[in-house]
Amino acid sequence: MGKDRKDGFEEWDGYMNAKITKLEEQFSKASDPFRQTELFKGISIYVNGHTNPSADELKRIMMVHSGVFHHYERSHTTFIIASNLPDVKIRNMNTSKIISPQWVVDCVSAQKIVDYSKYLLYTNQSTSQPKITFQKVEKDDEPKASNVSSIMRDLAELNAKMKETKPDISPEPKQSGSAMTAVDPKFLSEFYNNSRLHHIATLGAGFKKYVSDLRDKHNGDFPDRQKLKEILPKSEIFVKNGQTVMHIDMDCFFVSVGLRKRPHLRGKPVAVTHSKGKSEHVPLKDGVNREKEMDLFVKKIEKKAQDNVKASNINSFSDKSSLSEVASCSYEARAKGVKNGMFMGLAMKLCPGIQAIPYDFEAYKEVAETLYNTVAQYTLNIEAVSCDEMFVDLTDLLNDVETTPMDFVTALRNEVKEKTGCPCSAGVGSNRLQARMATKKAKPDGQFHLLKENVEEYFQNIAIKELPGVGSSTSYTLNELNWKTCGDLQTVSLYKIQAEFGKKFGETLHQFCRGIDNRPLVYGQIRKSVSAEVNYGIRFKENAECETFLKQLCVEVHARLMDIKRKGKCITLKVMVRAPEAPVETSKFMGHGVCDNQTKSVSLTEFTCDLEVITRTVLSTMRSLNIPPHELRGIGIQITKLNEEAPSKKDSVLMNMFSKVAEKQKDKPLKPKETVVEVDKKSEEKSIKGMFSKMSESTKIKSEEEKKPKTKKKNQPTGNIMGMLQNMPSRKRTSDYLVPDDIDESVLAELPEDIRREILQARSDQQKSIEERVKARITKSVKDKKEEIEEIQEEEQEPNIFLQKDNCRILLAWMQSCDEPDSYDVELIIKNAIDLITRKESHEIYDPIAFMCR
């Protein structure tokens, strides 16, 4: 991206927004001479495709009656006017506001706003949908036209005046029925169109890819940082902070976005939900037995270590209250006990005055894009978490701008609020855990910097269940042990924690309770699976209906697989089957109720993205389960064991080098080779670059012993890599590799991001200089090399290069040691890689190969 483009993040959100704003201003000015009534005041429309009346005629109607005509769909567009739309369009649109153009004509004819629900093109809602509330039209302002013919006459006059008449060749509106169950061919598209979980997951994955793409295309220049340098005060404090991580999270995201159109609800208890929120009670369908269903749910929960979150939802489950879930609620509602995920019926009992507002997925996407674009204009060290949450490494940014973390965070939050109209909170710390826990203190609409010297004390009062990775089952075990706060856990030994929770997770808890988190930020996401699941509206009577739906679901999964350009080798079918004792009619309309879950996986002989193969496998698997179709309540398809992503240009060059060398020397006899390393005193520079140089130069020196004929033992390592490997202890702590205090900052800045962070972390804990440590290792290597090789037993297995803690440094030194790799080393790497793949541990290969590419 060039400087003139400012990385694509221009003021007023770029060219398109400026263009749209200009068109709306032109429409407003052009409407003044023709405005007669205020019938459509407060209403905006966007015409999608051919309609009758045409787009031009609808535009003139909005001019006459104080409406707004959008040339492009906006998040705040009231209605999309259309006669017929293809499935590929409606799949990605909010169908709850797509209506027939006849609604506009009938409103003018009736001289009032009529109920739009009867004109919806695509909906699974009933005709009892309430009317949208518009501004009341005074009688004096009512239109004089009393029928459609008079409206058309007025339009004809306007056409003559404005000279913009165009012939209309659009087809008649196509009416659509309601898709209520999975039997309906339109059900799947409408299900995903209205599923909040689907939209949230899609947006989250989309922004992870968005950040990754921005990083790939970026030229390293951030021109907008200059603006920060001009407005933010300079400070030297940032130099002492080391790594600085920010966690930024939008406050009550769905609610905040919804209140932009409803400012009169600010400061009131509000919930975003599918429920209309008009009554605590809903009519129950014949056959529904909520009390029995509640008892069954409770029994299941008791088997899962007392899941208190779900149990709270069931407290009011047996009455006739609404079972629509609260997706998000305002802080005013939370003060009354309302929580995200709670049933709306219970929420209305706890907070009788709570206001329900609908979802607005297009607006969520718009605000999320603005959030990410705002941060990305200053840095791309972003780990996307979801559409409204991210981690950002500010270290490089703060060093460049020369300001304090809090000064930057203040400016950023103000900019986000100004652009989106929504508040956000931010926490800052030395790692991602500290930043995340600092955000909890910052909310709502605030910021907090957790200083290094206060970390352990700050964590003492934090409940362990608030730590990331601690779920309901772990919380239950912790409560049984009377370990409730991080302070409690700080007094427990690592051995005792590991005895309860295992070695790996026990160590994580031991570190997290002290604010220690060595996890780096992840800028590129590795996709491990693709899936599509539906647990609502699954009601089949015959196998044919089930198979038709499965084919549709296979198409959906296939499309998602093609989007990421990957292939899979394992197909899993997941089904939810009504529990034998569960009522046939579920308490939640068309919900899944109490079910037993069944899963079956099929491993393929080769990777595939072929729709026919996927469909055939899924249908065959379903038949093998032999489940009566009327008992199904949920179906999901998942594709795993995805092939690796297409290698980058650098990857290809490296792998081609390996392949060519291996091919060239595969028929040549292997010559035994040993390496002797020695210290080059003249090159003792106090920098990490010096360490690598010494390792590289030392590996080029051949031993005099090489001239003597020797018999190579079986499995005896002779290459450069194994020589280094034998002198490097495996699986050491990061802190064992010491870094000098006066390391050259210019050299450090040139290293990859993850390596630089590792060095900075190690430097804070070191006790002696790196030159002394390297010298000791090299000296030991010179002295003991011959003895160590002679002592290798024939049955001893060679260590795997990819499983060594120091593998990246070993590989780097090897790559610098010669112009062309020895055949033994190449074959050794290939052998080690094949060994890990055979043991299904191929993930261990990724980081070393990526390191070599960098």
Side-chain angles (χ1 to χ4, degrees), residues 562-587:
M562 297 303 291
D563 282 344
I564 62 172
K565 298 179 177 61
R566 304 282 287 280
K567 297 180 180 181
K569 206 172 184 180
C570 181
I571 300 176
T572 301
L573 179 65
K574 304 177 181 180
V575 294
M576 300 177 72
V577 185
R578 182 182 68 88
E581 65 276 17
V584 175
E585 293 293 343
T586 56
S587 298

Side-chain angles (χ1 to χ4, degrees), residues 235 274 398 582 642 748:
S235 173
H274 282 303
L398 296 176
L642 304 183
L748 184 64

Side-chain angles (χ1 to χ4, degrees), residues 587-602:
S587 298
K588 185 177 179 67
F589 180 68
M590 287 296 167
H592 56 75
V594 183
C595 293
D596 296 326
N597 299 323
Q598 296 187 34
T599 302
K600 186 170 184 179
S601 299
V602 177

Side-chain angles (χ1 to χ4, degrees), residues 5-69:
R5 290 289 303 277
K6 288 191 177 182
D7 300 327
F9 308 113
E10 300 175 328
E11 192 173 5
W12 307 112
D13 292 329
Y15 167 77
M16 281 306 298
N17 275 358
K19 178 180 177 181
I20 293 171
T21 302
K22 183 177 180 181
L23 288 171
E24 292 180 0
E25 290 175 353
Q26 289 175 345
F27 174 83
S28 178
K29 291 180 181 179
S31 301
D32 290 339
F34 307 103
R35 190 173 290 117
Q36 297 178 10
T37 77
E38 294 188 350
L39 175 63
F40 291 116
K41 187 174 183 180
I43 299 175
S44 57
I45 66 170
Y46 162 68
V47 180
N48 194 325
H50 294 290
T51 57
N52 186 14
S54 68
D56 282 340
E57 290 170 339
L58 291 169
K59 179 178 180 180
R60 295 182 188 100
I61 290 176
M62 302 308 283
M63 281 184 170
V64 172
H65 300 293
S66 302
V68 177
F69 183 90

Side-chain angles (χ1 to χ4, degrees), residues 8 155 253 327 412 535 589 664 682 726 753 760 800 833 850:
L155 285 174
F253 183 55
L412 179 68
N535 57 12
F589 180 68
K664 180 179 177 181
K682 295 181 181 180
Q726 290 177 340
E753 183 73 20
L760 289 172
N800 193 306

Side-chain angles (χ1 to χ4, degrees), residues 616-666:
R616 183 171 63 247
T617 304
V618 168
L619 292 178
S620 175
T621 305
M622 177 60 85
R623 294 185 189 116
S624 68
L625 294 176
N626 196 28
I627 301 171
H630 64 274
E631 299 290 3
L632 291 170
R633 292 294 182 268
I635 298 178
I637 301 172
Q638 184 182 46
I639 300 180
T640 54
K641 295 185 180 178
L642 304 183
N643 63 336
E644 297 296 327
E645 294 184 79
S648 65
K649 187 174 181 181
K650 292 182 180 179
D651 293 332
S652 301
V653 171
L654 181 66
M655 297 312 295
N656 286 339
M657 180 190 75
F658 286 159
S659 301
K660 288 179 181 178
V661 173
E663 183 68 25
K664 180 179 177 181
Q665 301 191 9
K666 66 180 181 180

